[in-house]
Amino acid sequence: MRRVWLVASCAVTFTACDPYPPAMSSERGDFRLEFGGLSVPRDLFATSLWEAPYLVLTGTRLCPELRCAACPEDGACDDAAVHVSGPVAVDEDGCFLVESPGEVVWTVDPMCGTPGQEPDRVTMRVVSPDAVEARLTSLLDVMVARHAMRDNPPITTIGGDWLELLPREFKVVAGEQIALGVGLYEPGTGHVVARPSEPAAEVTWTTTRGRAPITYPSDQLELVTFAGTESEASYEFAGHRWPLARVTGVSADAVTSLELAGAFITWRTTTRR
């Protein structure tokens, strides 16, 4: 039986104010580099999905904030310098511009490391726009899928599948407003690719059949469509354009079955006496 995806829901969005910027953790955990001004997909808890090997789009400007495990107090390691090697250039503000694809290695001064050990490091991989793809995500689905697949998972699922990436072709009940997140990913691996948060990205539309849907200027896929309408969405950023999805509108009475999926969270607490 061929599965038909029917989406009739709204996603939660987050403002530009980011109290939890995307971050890279070093291999041994001696330090963390936080990057304000980066855009990455997140789950429903606003947790960044950017993980090792930490992919970033060429042309991205990086201004890291250093956090040292050896210096838990704010300001204790302010004199520690960040060092970087690879296809990067340093600008007049001390920020780093990744210029071409390749591997970038980050290290910090010894005061921010574990005494008596070699300096810790973290590696970033720079990729070009033609090496990534734009995909749709659901904040709730991503959260459930990621946390349910871990050892001793805090989330247990029942019923239908939860997917980190949504299909490229799906159907939407006419008259329902939907909003789905969009992110850049590496094909094959599914690794998240970070991009600059400025300039703004935008989802654009081409109607290939029927009445044009109601769409909204956004970096998400947002629309209200009509029965019989077929539209193709693209994702545009800084002069680059990636195909995103084909959306077909269907009437509510065309829906012949409903697949339910559920999840519940187990909160684990420890009481100390």
Side-chain angles (χ1 to χ4, degrees):
M1 181 178 67
R2 182 169 176 263
R3 172 176 289 186
V4 177
W5 290 84
L6 296 171
V7 183
S9 61
C10 291
V12 178
T13 59
F14 297 94
T15 65
C17 180
D18 189 358
Y20 307 106
M24 299 192 306
S25 295
S26 61
E27 294 174 357
R28 197 168 53 234
D30 286 358
F31 67 89
R32 187 175 77 255
L33 297 175
E34 297 180 352
F35 296 95
L38 281 188
S39 177
V40 297
R42 300 178 182 262
D43 66 19
L44 195 61
F45 290 155
T47 302
S48 167
L49 304 182
W50 193 46
E51 298 175 339
Y54 302 114
L55 273 60
V56 65
L57 203 63
T58 53
T60 300
R61 184 172 181 261
L62 301 165
C63 302
E65 290 286 338
L66 176 62
R67 300 287 183 266
C68 299
C71 308
E73 297 181 4
D74 289 341
C77 282
D78 281 353
D79 293 333
V82 176
H83 307 279
V84 60
S85 62
V88 298
V90 182
D91 66 17
E92 59 185 9
D93 297 320
C95 294
F96 304 91
L97 180 66
V98 290
E99 299 178 306
S100 59
E103 186 176 271
V104 177
V105 179
W106 303 76
T107 58
V108 298
D109 282 347
M111 70 175 66
C112 190
T114 302
Q117 294 197 34
E118 291 295 318
D120 202 0
R121 52 183 268 168
V122 61
T123 302
M124 167 187 288
R125 186 151 54 87
V126 185
V127 294
S128 62
D130 58 4
V132 307
E133 63 180 2
R135 295 296 302 269
L136 291 171
T137 63
S138 163
L139 300 176
L140 177 60
D141 282 60
V142 169
M143 179 193 73
V144 172
R146 291 210 164 200
H147 289 283
M149 292 187 294
R150 297 179 177 176
D151 294 333
N152 300 314
I155 295 179
T156 302
T157 63
I158 56 176
D161 295 334
W162 298 81
L163 302 177
E164 292 194 37
L165 299 178
L166 301 183
R168 287 195 176 277
E169 296 188 21
F170 58 91
K171 298 183 179 182
V172 175
V173 176
E176 297 289 341
Q177 181 174 347
I178 67 166
L180 297 171
V182 182
L184 296 178
Y185 294 81
E186 183 179 47
T189 67
H191 293 314
V192 167
V193 180
R195 65 164 178 84
S197 56
E198 297 292 340
E202 184 179 8
V203 174
T204 58
W205 293 91
T206 301
T207 301
T208 56
R209 188 181 68 194
R211 178 182 175 185
I214 301 170
T215 60
Y216 306 86
S218 173
D219 62 354
Q220 297 188 103
L221 186 148
E222 296 187 66
L223 85 161
V224 177
T225 192
F226 305 96
T229 292
E230 186 177 279
S231 304
E232 294 185 357
S234 299
Y235 189 61
E236 299 186 9
F237 170 74
H240 306 291
R241 182 176 184 176
W242 297 272
L244 183 58
R246 177 179 295 171
V247 182
T248 302
V250 299
S251 60
D253 57 12
V255 181
T256 58
S257 64
L258 180 65
E259 183 180 34
L260 298 178
F264 59 90
I265 301 175
T266 302
W267 297 105
R268 295 180 175 86
T269 59
T270 302
T271 302
R272 306 181 69 177
R273 297 182 178 180

